[in-house]
């Protein structure tokens, strides 16, 4: 199912100098397009993913940026000598990166395997959000030891696998935990993400290279006060973004716990960064 992103602007967000708005909300179109960045004050910005400073390009109240190639816009606003937090969003145009999804399902799944995909970057295809309706996208049998495959187009996303039952939460319906991915993932139903798939699967990947996949879980989800990280990987800092892509919180990770009690109820993304500056993005719900 496709839906057009609504442009929702509240009076309070327009009047608040610390609120930076970027539109359109959809972050991919086939043809070049303009992104409007607006706020009440002087906007400092970059388009290459670097952190903006007071020495960066600037504009008063509003500016337009041509998206004729993939760009990551970062911006903050200064009003009466006070600087806002940095807002970041990636915009895409033209062909999207290919993502290869591999899943080893249990041998007793009679209807094959399906995948529920939640695109993060970009969040749309040619201006349309792609709603994944249960059970999601059917996967193709690779004829290799119960491994199934699906190719989609995105830079990163979260996804889960299920047994293609007609409805979720009914007797016989089985689904995995949600996991994040970039260009390639190999997910074994028993072991979770792996980095050593059988050669009959690996031969079909780009250049035969298998990335190291690390399982990262956050819990409880939904959460009311403290979000906990379950992973062998150590993360040094985090960013929390709301559904519009605005960063609402940023800090260092302490003891794999993150206080979120100050957030309003709603859907959020948390970006975890390790010491090598690799990032993982996961979605959570604040109760």
């Amino acid at each position: 199912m496709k839906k057009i992103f609504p442009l929702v602007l509240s009076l309070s967000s327009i009047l608040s100098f610390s609120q930076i708005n970027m539109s359109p909300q959809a972050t991919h179109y086939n043809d070049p397009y303009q992104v409007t960045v607006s706020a009440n004050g002087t906007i400092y910005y970059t388009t290459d993913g670097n952190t903006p400073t007071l020495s960066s390009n600037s504009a008063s109240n509003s500016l337009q940026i041509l998206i004729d190639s993939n760009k990551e816009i970062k911006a903050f606003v200064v009003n009466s000598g006070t600087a806002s937090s940095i807002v970041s969003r990636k915009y895409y145009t033209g062909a999207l990166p290919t993502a290869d999804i591999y899943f080893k399902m249990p041998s007793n799944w009679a209807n094959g395997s399906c995948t529920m995909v939640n695109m993060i970057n970009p969040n749309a295809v040619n201006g349309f959000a792609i709603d994944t309706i249960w059970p999601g996208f059917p996967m193709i049998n690779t004829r290799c030891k119960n491994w199934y495959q699906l190719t989609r187009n995105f830079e990163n996303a979260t996804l889960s696998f299920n047994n293609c039952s007609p409805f979720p939460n009914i007797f016989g319906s089985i689904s995995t935990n949600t996991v994040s991915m970039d260009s390639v993932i190999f997910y074994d139903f028993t072991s979770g993400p792996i980095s050593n798939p059988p050669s009959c699967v690996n031969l079909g990947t780009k250049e035969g290279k298998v990335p190291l996949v690390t399982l990262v879980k956050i819990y409880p989800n939904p959460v009311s006060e403290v979000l906990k990280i379950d992973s062998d990987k150590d993360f040094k800092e985090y960013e929390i973004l709301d559904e519009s892509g605005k960063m609402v919180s940023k800090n260092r990770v302490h003891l794999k716990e993150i206080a979120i009690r100050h957030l309003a109820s709603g859907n959020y993304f948390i970006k975890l960064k390790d010491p090598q500056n690799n990032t993982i993005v996961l979605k959570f719900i604040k109760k």
Side-chain angles (χ1 to χ4, degrees):
M1 179 186 295
K2 294 182 177 181
K3 65 179 182 181
I4 299 177
F5 274 92
L7 179 60
V8 180
L9 294 178
S10 67
L11 180 60
S12 61
S13 68
I14 295 174
L15 295 178
S16 173
F17 82 86
S18 62
Q19 175 69 51
I20 292 180
N21 294 300
M22 295 186 190
S23 62
Q25 293 292 318
T27 58
H28 173 264
Y29 289 89
N30 291 335
D31 299 320
Y33 57 102
Q34 297 280 352
V35 168
T36 300
V37 183
S38 59
N40 186 13
T42 302
I43 303 169
Y44 295 87
Y45 67 96
T46 60
T47 60
D48 57 3
N50 288 328
T51 300
T53 67
L54 294 176
S55 300
S56 301
N57 292 332
S58 64
S60 295
N61 301 323
S62 179
L63 69 135
Q64 286 195 320
I65 298 173
L66 175 64
I67 307 299
D68 54 359
S69 62
N70 296 344
K71 296 178 180 180
E72 182 175 6
I73 302 174
K74 290 187 176 183
F76 68 93
V77 60
V78 175
N79 184 288
S80 300
T82 302
S84 73
S85 58
I86 295 174
V87 174
S88 174
R89 185 175 295 171
K90 287 186 176 182
Y91 283 95
Y92 302 78
T93 188
L96 288 172
T98 298
D100 293 314
I101 306 166
Y102 293 87
F103 174 66
K104 183 179 181 181
M105 73 172 200
S107 58
N108 61 351
W109 283 13
N111 297 320
S113 175
C114 294
T115 307
M116 296 283 290
V117 178
N118 176 40
M119 292 173 56
I120 296 175
N121 282 315
N123 62 12
V125 176
N126 197 28
F128 292 90
I130 306 300
D131 282 344
T132 304
I133 305 301
W134 181 273
F137 301 104
M139 303 186 73
I140 299 172
N141 190 345
T142 66
R143 308 298 177 186
C144 172
K145 303 178 181 179
N146 282 338
W147 281 91
Y148 279 66
Q149 188 267 344
L150 175 69
T151 298
R152 301 298 297 171
N153 294 99
F154 53 76
E155 184 173 344
N156 48 60
T158 60
L159 64 156
S160 62
F161 304 93
N162 63 76
N163 61 342
C164 302
S165 62
F167 301 100
N169 304 318
I170 63 172
F171 180 77
S173 176
I174 303 173
S175 180
T176 68
N177 293 325
T178 299
V179 64
S180 62
M181 72 162 291
D182 296 321
S183 60
V184 182
I185 188 171
F186 297 92
Y187 193 103
D188 185 309
F189 180 83
T190 302
S191 306
I194 65 171
S195 57
N196 58 337
S199 59
C200 54
V201 172
N202 189 32
L203 287 174
T205 64
K206 301 180 183 68
E207 300 179 1
K209 295 180 180 179
V210 182
L212 180 62
V213 181
T214 302
L215 180 61
V216 180
K217 299 178 183 178
I218 52 175
Y219 70 97
N221 192 8
V223 57
S224 58
E225 294 195 358
V226 178
L227 193 64
K228 299 182 179 181
I229 304 170
D230 180 9
S231 177
D232 293 334
K233 181 184 284 291
D234 290 322
F235 295 97
K236 65 176 184 177
E237 61 184 47
Y238 69 89
E239 296 178 6
I240 296 177
L241 299 86
D242 64 16
E243 287 188 297
S244 72
K246 176 189 175 185
M247 185 173 66
V248 296
S249 183
K250 179 179 181 180
N251 211 329
R252 298 191 67 82
V253 176
H254 180 63
L255 298 178
K256 296 189 176 181
E257 294 187 352
I258 298 169
I260 53 85
R261 58 179 63 88
H262 62 287
L263 298 176
S265 299
N267 297 319
Y268 294 89
F269 295 99
I270 183 166
K271 182 187 295 185
L272 300 169
K273 183 179 292 186
D274 67 17
Q276 289 74 44
N277 290 322
N278 299 310
T279 60
I280 289 179
V281 180
L282 298 169
K283 186 175 183 179
F284 71 94
I285 301 173
K286 170 61 166 62
K287 292 193 291 187

